[in-house]
Amino acid sequence: MPAFAIGHLTAVSMGPEIVEYLERIDTTLALFEGRFRVHGAQPECVEGQWAGDLIVIEFPDMEKARAWYRSDAYAAILPLRSRNSTGNIILIEGVPGDHKAADILTRAA
């Protein structure tokens, strides 16, 4: 099942460290088959309020998502982002392609 690394960054100080982070992150993803699905797009907020940037990176499974986040390669660049941004980062498992909304009812029982 796919898994995702999702970042909701509420503030980013664009500067040399963020530029370096952006220049280096793709190579950290390659070994774990990670690829950007959302990055830098301006959202169309249709309900509520939204502030910040949304980043979504897809991995083949949760094991690879966790391995990427914990990798030495990512650890080497993580401070470049964390020193220059605020927000939340999560890893979350996706759903199979045939998922229906009511499928969660069987998990909740």
Side-chain angles (χ1 to χ4, degrees):
M1 210 158 347
F4 301 88
I6 299 175
H8 177 206
L9 301 181
T10 54
V12 177
S13 297
M14 190 57 74
E17 287 191 327
I18 290 292
V19 170
E20 182 180 350
Y21 176 85
L22 292 170
E23 290 174 343
R24 294 175 59 189
I25 189 170
D26 291 312
T27 57
T28 72
L29 295 169
L31 181 62
F32 305 97
E33 301 174 61
R35 54 189 173 174
F36 283 95
R37 290 303 192 190
V38 176
H39 192 220
Q42 294 299 308
E44 178 181 339
C45 188
V46 296
E47 291 187 32
Q49 297 179 0
W50 181 266
D53 298 304
L54 181 68
I55 299 96
V56 178
I57 303 170
E58 182 179 11
F59 294 89
D61 53 46
M62 187 61 102
E63 182 179 316
K64 286 195 177 182
R66 286 184 185 122
W68 164 74
Y69 190 80
R70 296 173 183 157
S71 70
D72 291 341
Y74 189 64
I77 67 167
L78 177 58
L80 300 172
R81 179 189 50 78
S82 62
R83 284 193 299 259
N84 295 284
S85 65
T86 58
N88 300 295
I89 308 295
I90 64 170
L91 300 179
I92 191 164
E93 193 169 60
V95 296
D98 62 348
H99 176 81
K100 303 286 187 258
D103 292 347
I104 66 162
L105 298 174
T106 58
R107 288 190 292 175

